[in-house]
Amino acid sequence: ITKNETKMKIGYVQNNPLFGQKEKNFEEIMQLTKGIKADVLVLSELFATGYTFTSKSEAKALAETADGETAQFLKQLSVETGATIVAGFIEKENEMVYNSSIIIDGNTVIDTYQKIHLFNRETLWFDVSNNPLKVYDIKGIKLGVMICFDWFFPEVCRELTLQGMQLLAHPSNLVLPYCQKAMVTRCLENRIFAITANRIGNEKRGDDDFTFTGASQITAPNG
Ligand code: ACM
């Protein structure tokens, strides 16, 4: 990060979640991050549950509050790696169900971001949030968060940049081949760094048959 000459070690975890098996997915993340120390680590969208639901009630059954078991696991991961963690989960808030990311530092839950632009059939599984986009002061820099398909709308990165964002955390479950290329433009036009943490694998459930494109990417302001 050059704007204020901060040096950071940043990374992502690219996983292949087993649908609905949180404990096994937590274990995989622990194995993938064994011995890793970093300042910021980004995990994929819905990293512990899988992505492809067949109904809202199915998503709701795997949803948690911001102090649920996924948050507890991520606190442990944050303490062990030293990293601020941004990771996707299904958030239950009152009667609403959101495709969210949680931002955790040590044993503190800093906030959640509820995905604004739901992709395809996600509109059947999740509620849309009206919460504002925000940036967070993390380790001397300003961190912004968006989720997967938010990339398609340049206004998201722009709005976060206008709030001072230097580093974007971007948990993803990408199924189209365009985002990794688009992030080069997002970073060039906004002069930001971005961590796109994608998943791999296939989910064939209900009417959907998704193959996730992997190729997670850290993109610099020079593209
Ligand atoms: C997506 O937003 N998960 C494609």
Side-chain angles (χ1 to χ4, degrees):
I1 309 280
T2 52
K3 275 184 188 166
N4 56 4
E5 299 185 17
T6 304
K7 257 193 188 169
M8 305 187 94
K9 187 172 179 184
I10 62 179
Y12 53 76
V13 186
Q14 176 169 286
N15 70 331
N16 184 8
L18 298 169
F19 185 87
Q21 301 190 48
K22 288 184 195 176
E23 286 301 327
K24 287 213 166 117
N25 296 325
F26 294 160
E27 271 170 39
E28 189 193 20
I29 298 294
M30 273 306 181
Q31 278 172 14
L32 289 169
T33 55
K34 208 169 185 169
I36 298 285
K37 295 283 178 201
D39 295 302
V40 177
L41 279 179
V42 183
L43 277 58
S44 63
E45 180 183 14
L46 302 171
F47 82 96
T49 58
Y51 173 81
T52 315
F53 301 97
T54 55
S55 67
K56 193 167 194 172
S57 59
E58 195 180 58
K60 200 168 186 176
L62 290 166
E64 300 173 35
T65 56
D67 60 0
E69 61 176 325
T70 296
Q72 299 313 316
F73 165 72
L74 293 171
K75 285 177 185 176
Q76 184 193 343
L77 183 67
S78 181
V79 168
E80 288 193 11
T81 58
T84 304
I85 308 281
V86 181
F89 80 117
I90 311 173
E91 183 176 15
K92 183 164 55 183
E93 194 185 60
N94 305 317
E95 282 310 298
M96 308 297 253
V97 180
Y98 298 107
N99 181 345
S100 291
S101 283
I102 193 162
I103 304 121
I104 288 187
D105 193 44
N107 282 308
T108 305
V109 174
I110 294 173
D111 205 358
T112 65
Y113 162 70
Q114 300 163 344
K115 188 176 186 178
I116 294 173
H117 300 98
L118 298 176
F119 176 73
N120 197 269
R121 266 188 272 268
E122 281 180 43
T123 53
L124 303 178
W125 315 326
F126 301 116
D127 293 298
V128 179
S129 174
N130 285 318
N131 282 351
L133 292 161
K134 283 190 254 172
V135 298
Y136 305 95
D137 290 303
I138 303 284
K139 294 173 172 150
I141 60 119
K142 294 211 182 282
L143 177 83
V145 179
M146 70 177 187
I147 300 176
C148 204
F149 192 50
D150 285 329
W151 74 265
F152 199 88
F153 304 88
E155 293 82 0
V156 176
C157 273
R158 193 65 194 153
E159 167 61 26
L160 289 167
T161 300
L162 292 172
Q163 292 184 35
M165 172 171 68
Q166 294 164 288
L167 173 64
L168 171 70
H170 183 206
S172 296
N173 274 191
L174 295 159
V175 296
L176 300 173
Y178 313 115
C179 173
Q180 290 87 343
K181 292 190 188 86
M183 290 313 294
V184 173
T185 302
R186 294 289 166 277
C187 289
L188 283 168
E189 66 197 358
N190 290 298
R191 313 303 298 160
I192 56 165
F193 289 83
I195 309 169
T196 299
N198 197 13
R199 63 163 285 183
I200 56 170
N202 173 268
E203 277 181 1
K204 195 170 182 340
R205 307 192 75 255
D207 294 330
D208 289 310
D209 183 355
F210 288 131
T211 297
F212 301 93
T213 60
S216 295
Q217 174 173 301
I218 293 176
T219 316
N222 66 1

